[in-house]
Amino acid sequence: MHPKSVSWLHYHLEHWLENLYVRQANAVVYVSQFNLDVVKNRQPETQKSKFHLIRCGADPLDFATAVNSKNDNSSFEIIYTGGMNGWYDFYHLPEEKTVFKKLYQAWVEWGYYQRAKIDYRSSSPVFVGEAIRKVNAENPAWQSKIKLSIYGNSFPEFVVNRVLENQNLTDIVTVSGALPHFQAIQLARQADLLLITLPNRSDGSPGGRISCKSYEYLMTDRPILAAVPYGENWDYLQDKPGVWLVEPTDVKAMKEVITDIATAKFSGSPLSFDRSYLHKELSYKTLVQDYLKIFNSICSTSTFTLG
């Protein structure tokens, strides 16, 4: 799950521990098909039947009440719910990154075993913010109408403010702190466009990470811009209606998506998508039943000794 281990030895010990868990368990559940396959493929045939995929999901009660549709064509709001972890990558301007700071960073990371090079910059509003700026430049009539709202930020306010100032995004991006989960869901259900963005994988290799907000967003009828690397999240979303997939730092592709969806909104025909066929699959009630099937299967084939 994480791109680094404390050392090469720790990396192999983690593999050993994960394999030990598999051998000791009656069943093993993963939330990511990619990660499941990686671990399953290194197991002997006798262990492979233990593996099960049960994804995260959403609470149907969060989507049971009606929400007020936006009939105002004077603005276009892109919404992201949850935290981002790429803020510090933009905290210093390029000219502030001195040789001493680079040497210090290299010293801090010395000895770590790196499985994959992760670019955390894309887990930020910077690239989509640049895309919004380009959309505004090409459509002067939309100036100040397209905004990105982030709900659920956990980073210090001074860090967020400095990054927005460094990147000239203070007039485009609004960042709010923690709020009740139900409230975040209701805000998402009213968005003109929902955003998912994850850290990029610099070498282009696929990864097993998937954002849990993917499932909650799919419970809505809102357009979704998914700026995610190749791998689990991309594969899961690629056949879902109303989802535009772009690479996490592809500003040009983001600009084109935002332009198309905003054009529909400002022309009086905002886009919406019927994804109700997914609701049962995504429901916690269904996921609980999937877990119960595993428990029942284990209980019917295992012998227990009471001591």
Side-chain angles (χ1 to χ4, degrees):
M1 183 64 191
H2 299 287
K4 291 180 181 179
S5 296
V6 178
S7 69
W8 177 88
L9 175 61
H10 285 80
Y11 166 70
H12 286 280
L13 287 173
E14 289 163 6
H15 270 214
W16 175 85
L17 184 61
E18 194 166 30
N19 293 337
L20 176 65
Y21 288 154
V22 172
R23 292 195 301 272
Q24 297 297 319
N26 294 97
V28 183
V29 176
Y30 278 78
V31 298
S32 162
Q33 183 69 58
F34 184 97
N35 289 339
L36 183 154
D37 291 339
V38 167
V39 181
K40 182 178 179 179
N41 289 340
R42 66 172 188 250
Q43 306 302 321
E45 288 298 325
T46 55
Q47 303 294 324
K48 291 185 177 181
S49 63
K50 295 179 177 181
F51 285 79
H52 304 269
L53 175 70
I54 299 182
R55 296 186 177 279
C56 295
D59 188 344
L61 293 177
D62 288 337
F63 302 87
T65 57
V67 293
N68 296 325
S69 299
K70 287 185 178 180
N71 297 317
D72 181 11
N73 293 336
S74 64
S75 64
F76 186 90
E77 185 180 27
I78 304 171
I79 287 181
Y80 176 96
T81 61
M84 293 177 167
N85 52 17
W87 294 101
Y88 282 121
D89 291 83
F90 294 99
Y91 186 77
H92 295 288
L93 293 170
E95 58 269 23
E96 297 175 328
K97 297 178 181 179
T98 63
V99 173
F100 175 77
K101 289 180 179 178
K102 293 178 181 178
L103 288 173
Y104 175 74
Q105 186 64 32
W107 168 254
V108 169
E109 296 178 355
W110 183 80
Y112 277 79
Y113 182 83
Q114 185 167 272
R115 291 189 285 260
K117 178 65 176 176
I118 303 298
D119 182 1
Y120 289 100
R121 297 179 307 148
S122 58
S123 181
S124 76
V126 171
F127 294 98
V128 69
E130 177 63 21
I132 294 171
R133 188 184 294 114
K134 289 181 179 294
V135 171
N136 288 337
E138 294 179 7
N139 301 273
W142 296 354
Q143 286 287 347
S144 303
K145 291 185 177 182
I146 302 178
K147 304 286 185 180
L148 170 62
S149 300
I150 300 171
Y151 297 100
N153 170 67
S154 59
F155 273 70
E157 186 176 355
F158 76 91
V159 174
V160 171
N161 290 341
R162 176 160 184 176
V163 170
L164 296 182
E165 291 172 4
N166 282 350
Q167 303 301 315
N168 298 316
L169 296 175
T170 53
D171 60 334
I172 293 175
V173 180
T174 301
V175 181
S176 303
L179 72 168
H181 183 259
F182 178 81
Q183 185 178 345
I185 293 294
Q186 304 320 304
L187 288 167
R189 295 175 68 195
Q190 300 176 66
D192 295 305
L193 176 62
L194 291 168
L195 172 68
I196 304 172
T197 184
L198 288 177
N200 199 16
R201 296 174 69 89
S202 302
D203 61 0
S205 63
R209 185 170 183 172
I210 183 167
S211 173
C212 287
K213 66 174 60 66
S214 301
Y215 310 107
E216 293 178 333
Y217 284 5
L218 288 173
M219 290 285 285
T220 76
D221 64 354
R222 303 291 76 211
I224 300 169
L225 171 58
V228 297
Y230 295 114
E232 182 72 5
N233 219 150
W234 184 288
D235 294 344
Y236 179 73
L237 290 174
Q238 65 179 349
D239 63 345
K240 304 299 188 293
V243 178
W244 282 259
L245 285 159
V246 302
E247 295 185 48
T249 59
D250 191 341
V251 172
K252 182 175 182 293
M254 293 181 199
K255 182 203 73 172
E256 292 171 354
V257 172
I258 294 169
T259 298
D260 290 346
I261 299 174
T263 297
K265 166 71 184 291
F266 291 136
S267 66
S269 302
L271 300 180
S272 64
F273 300 87
D274 182 6
R275 293 189 281 257
S276 57
Y277 74 96
L278 288 170
H279 292 180
K280 183 178 179 181
E281 171 190 326
L282 297 170
S283 170
Y284 285 156
K285 294 179 181 179
T286 301
L287 300 179
V288 168
Q289 293 302 316
D290 291 341
Y291 270 108
L292 289 175
K293 290 176 184 177
I294 297 174
F295 294 148
N296 291 337
S297 175
I298 292 172
C299 292
S300 64
T301 59
S302 300
T303 301
F304 298 92
T305 301
L306 298 179

